[in-house]
Amino acid sequence: MTPRMYWTRRTDRDQPGDTVTQQDNHAGTALVVVAHHRPDSLTAHTARRAAARLEAAGYRVDLLDLHAEGFDPRMNLADQPDWGNREKRYSDEAHAHMQRVLDADAIVAVFPVYWQSVPALLKGWIDRVWNYGFAYGRSRPRLAGKRILWLGLAGATADDAVVAGMQTLLEANLSEGIAYYCGFSHSAVGLLTDAEERPQRVDSDGNLLIGEAVAGAERAAQYADFERRAQQFVEKFIAAEVVGT
């Protein structure tokens, strides 16, 4: 596993080398988790923008790119929960990631929505790292008081009938089933629709309809709106922390 990477702010174009010095006085540590196999993906770009906004708000950002760091999402014997021993020592890799979670005051997970859920890369990270005896299984949760924002990128258009159900499922699985179960004080799901160049929607008969790819000014406007919505979710998440204090 590569050493953890602390974020320094980049320009809007995310060009390597275009950085400014990170603030010394920070509001806490934010762990930004990227769950995508391509560094040039919209998911990775959205994560970098979220990291920059958190850094600008005073957070020290630990950017965890699961694929780039070679995280293996497959469960193994070393990290299999032992229901009779909540003090089990898990693998060194799992414990390194556990420490990064413990060090974070806030977590932002950025991922593409697959089958109305998270991709295997992120699910495996939760399975192996948010493990019995660490994230749950204690009367006083070790993760109590932490906050998390789940940013999910979906190809569906905002007016697609599946979006409402997708939002409900993600909130039930991620906020209720994971975050609050592990003692988090706040969990929010930001569903970012219209993430594809070609609009996608399901009609009343269940057929997937894929439109023509947008280009030029229309494409620029679509992605400007996408970034605006993504930033709003991050801003709201930051504001909720300020109100909570």
Side-chain angles (χ1 to χ4, degrees):
M1 186 178 74
T2 58
R4 73 178 66 182
M5 201 167 36
Y6 283 104
W7 178 258
T8 51
R9 193 186 310 166
R10 298 188 184 279
T11 65
D12 287 346
R13 295 182 180 274
D14 297 322
Q15 293 297 321
D18 293 335
T19 62
V20 296
T21 304
Q22 182 177 324
Q23 299 176 13
D24 291 329
N25 298 320
H26 55 86
T29 297
L31 178 65
V32 177
V33 184
V34 190
H36 200 285
H37 56 284
R38 287 177 48 182
D40 62 345
S41 64
L42 183 59
T43 299
H45 171 76
T46 301
R48 291 191 294 267
R49 293 298 294 267
R53 183 63 196 91
L54 287 160
E55 191 269 344
Y59 283 91
R60 185 184 189 191
V61 176
D62 179 9
L63 185 61
L64 169 56
D65 186 327
L66 292 172
H67 186 269
E69 295 197 15
F71 182 81
D72 186 349
R74 296 174 299 178
M75 180 55 74
N76 53 54
L77 290 177
D79 295 324
Q80 179 178 325
D82 182 348
W83 307 117
N85 177 22
R86 69 181 184 185
E87 307 298 335
K88 176 180 176 177
R89 172 73 189 184
Y90 296 109
S91 69
D92 290 343
E93 181 183 32
H95 274 277
H97 282 266
M98 288 175 182
Q99 190 60 55
R100 294 171 80 164
V101 173
L102 282 176
D103 289 344
D105 302 287
I107 299 173
V108 177
V110 190
F111 58 93
V113 177
Y114 290 170
W115 300 109
Q116 303 204 38
S117 186
V118 299
L121 184 60
L122 180 57
K123 181 58 165 59
W125 182 70
I126 294 169
D127 288 344
R128 289 186 57 202
V129 177
W130 298 36
N131 216 326
Y132 175 64
F134 170 69
Y136 65 96
R138 295 180 181 275
S139 56
R140 294 185 61 188
R142 290 179 172 175
L143 306 186
K146 295 186 184 296
R147 305 169 61 255
I148 188 166
L149 171 63
W150 309 86
L151 278 180
L153 284 71
T157 55
D159 60 352
D160 193 326
V162 305
V163 170
M166 187 184 302
Q167 179 79 36
T168 299
L169 279 174
L170 289 171
E171 289 178 351
N173 290 335
L174 303 179
S175 292
E176 298 296 336
I178 299 176
Y180 293 140
Y181 184 73
C182 295
F184 278 67
S185 62
H186 177 77
S187 176
V189 175
L191 181 57
L192 292 164
T193 58
D194 299 283
E196 297 289 344
E197 293 180 3
R198 303 176 66 183
Q200 302 177 15
R201 60 173 54 83
V202 177
D203 66 15
S204 58
D205 295 322
N207 300 309
L208 176 63
L209 306 179
I210 301 179
E212 295 295 326
V214 296
E218 184 181 0
R219 180 178 180 182
Q222 175 182 330
Y223 283 108
D225 179 68
F226 180 92
E227 293 204 348
R228 177 188 59 79
R229 288 183 285 121
Q231 180 168 314
Q232 285 181 336
F233 282 127
V234 177
E235 294 282 0
K236 185 176 181 180
F237 180 67
I238 293 172
E241 191 277 332
V242 174
V243 171
T245 57

